[in-house]
Amino acid sequence: MAIFVDKKTKVVVQGITGRDGSFHAQQMKKYGTNVIAGVTPGKGGTKISGIPVFNKVADAVAKTNVNTSVIYVPPAFAADSIYEAVDAGIKTVVCITEGIPANDMMKVYHYIKHRGVRLIGPNCPGIISPELSKVGIIPGKICKRGNIGVVSRSGTLTYEVIFALTAGGMGQSTCIGIGGDQVIGTNFIDCLEAFENDRSTKGVVMIGEIGGSDEEDAARYIKKKMTKPVVAFIAGRTAPPGKRMGHAGAIISGSSGTAADKVAALNKAGIPVATSPLDLPGLMAEKMKEKKKVAKKGTARKSTRKTVKKTAAKKTKKATARKK
């Protein structure tokens, strides 16, 4: 199992004839993803690396039965591309495009939520379930199939953490970049809930950054709902207040959204926070070991209780027999 994308994922690439769309369509196909259609208005009937191109997403859905879209169009057209995918019946949309106005995304957000569509991004690297499917731009060669889920607000840090996990012998179930914009379709809690319910995921690495309150919300969720080990990293510890750092959502406003606040909230929920992404595999190994110890203690207690009950039952049986 994996979350959101797997072998059944059938992809249409919106903007497939552009520089980025055509390059990454080939990379996804090479990785083994079912990339079976592309869309560029006015280019219908042509092909990119053997992938048929359609004028509209609705045409691609009707002809090829695709169920997932990945968007590489310029920001001025990206919101309309999301609407087009949703209206064509696509249930999972991955938007790589950076720079979509927040006001446009506010409208898109409510549109997708009312229609039950999973939107990943925008301004994200996409998602990969190693050896099953890759939708986006995460380099497949650094990933290895395994049981650690990765969820991140930062694209580049996602790659660094995946590389560190793989080098440390920890493969991944699914790695997902949720995007660093102020308005995104899928947040930490959505992913944590999916990882908690995914049988192939045994632990989760969460990569947050300054700005907003998503990490604090995630910390509360983990404490209340999650049974699997979670470790974290927060980017932007040295960022000065009022200065945007990289992503649109990565800005400290007033006294909230600081790295210190997020680290404190995560620690309070029992989640260790690494000072370097390279420390995450070690922290995860420790948490997994702790979980095994707790599970062993639980099993030992149950075994003791069973033995005590059995002994008591035998004594009662013997006493009853004597009376007779």
Side-chain angles (χ1 to χ4, degrees):
M1 285 179 71
I3 69 166
F4 305 150
V5 299
D6 54 27
K7 275 288 181 192
K8 293 177 184 172
T9 299
K10 293 188 282 187
V11 178
V12 55
V13 180
Q14 290 180 255
I16 193 168
T17 57
R19 183 196 61 183
D20 294 344
S22 61
F23 175 77
H24 287 293
Q26 291 172 55
Q27 294 298 307
M28 287 187 285
K29 194 177 172 184
K30 194 175 169 186
Y31 188 74
T33 305
N34 294 320
V35 182
I36 52 181
V39 168
T40 297
K43 300 285 179 69
T46 61
K47 286 188 176 182
I48 294 289
S49 301
I51 304 163
V53 180
F54 297 86
N55 288 319
K56 298 175 184 174
V57 179
D59 295 342
V61 171
K63 294 283 184 186
T64 65
N65 205 24
V66 288
N67 55 25
T68 300
S69 163
V70 58
I71 295 173
Y72 293 96
V73 307
F77 310 109
D80 281 343
S81 295
I82 297 171
Y83 288 129
E84 186 187 350
V86 174
D87 290 344
I90 298 284
K91 288 298 179 188
T92 302
V93 180
V94 179
C95 186
I96 308 299
T97 307
E98 178 179 0
I100 305 176
N103 190 38
D104 289 353
M105 278 310 301
M106 286 294 290
K107 294 168 190 167
V108 166
Y109 182 86
H110 292 291
Y111 198 77
I112 59 153
K113 291 296 176 188
H114 285 141
R115 286 157 182 78
V117 172
R118 165 77 53 206
L119 170 65
I120 298 170
N123 189 14
C124 78
I127 178 168
I128 184 168
S129 297
E131 297 180 23
L132 299 177
S133 185
K134 144 177 158 153
V135 184
I137 63 175
I138 296 174
K141 63 184 178 184
I142 62 172
C143 301
K144 176 186 172 185
R145 194 169 181 179
N147 59 17
I148 304 297
V150 177
V151 55
S152 172
R153 279 174 70 184
S154 165
T156 310
L157 276 173
T158 307
Y159 311 154
E160 190 172 345
V161 170
I162 292 172
F163 182 79
L165 288 170
T166 299
M170 290 184 172
Q172 306 88 41
S173 53
T174 297
C175 310
I176 176 169
I178 57 176
D181 279 359
Q182 292 160 312
V183 184
I184 54 176
T186 296
N187 62 23
F188 279 130
I189 293 176
D190 297 325
C191 298
L192 292 167
E193 184 180 21
F195 280 132
E196 177 68 14
N197 294 327
D198 176 41
R199 281 179 297 172
S200 66
T201 300
K202 303 299 180 192
V204 181
V205 173
M206 189 178 98
I207 305 157
E209 61 186 13
I210 58 170
S213 60
D214 284 1
E215 291 79 2
E216 288 89 334
D217 296 339
R220 284 189 286 273
Y221 177 83
I222 292 164
K223 191 173 182 182
K224 282 184 184 173
K225 305 277 187 180
M226 288 199 72
T227 60
K228 297 177 181 177
V230 179
V231 300
F233 175 77
I234 300 296
R237 289 184 182 224
T238 57
K243 186 173 178 63
R244 184 167 69 84
M245 303 297 287
H247 295 141
I251 183 168
I252 299 167
S253 177
S255 60
S256 66
T258 66
D261 288 342
K262 292 173 189 296
V263 172
L266 289 163
N267 285 161
K268 194 177 172 187
I271 304 155
V273 182
T275 50
S276 161
L278 299 177
D279 296 334
L280 286 165
L283 281 183
M284 178 54 76
E286 283 175 24
K287 288 292 282 184
M288 300 276 256
K289 206 181 282 180
E290 278 175 24
K291 187 174 169 59
K292 275 184 186 173
K293 275 185 187 174
V294 172
K296 267 188 183 177
K297 278 184 185 174
T299 308
R301 277 195 205 109
K302 276 183 187 174
S303 177
T304 307
R305 278 190 212 118
K306 274 185 185 175
T307 308
V308 169
K309 275 184 184 177
K310 275 184 184 176
T311 309
K314 277 182 185 175
K315 282 181 181 175
T316 309
K317 203 176 175 182
K318 279 182 183 177
T320 309
R322 276 191 213 112
K323 281 180 185 175
K324 282 179 180 177

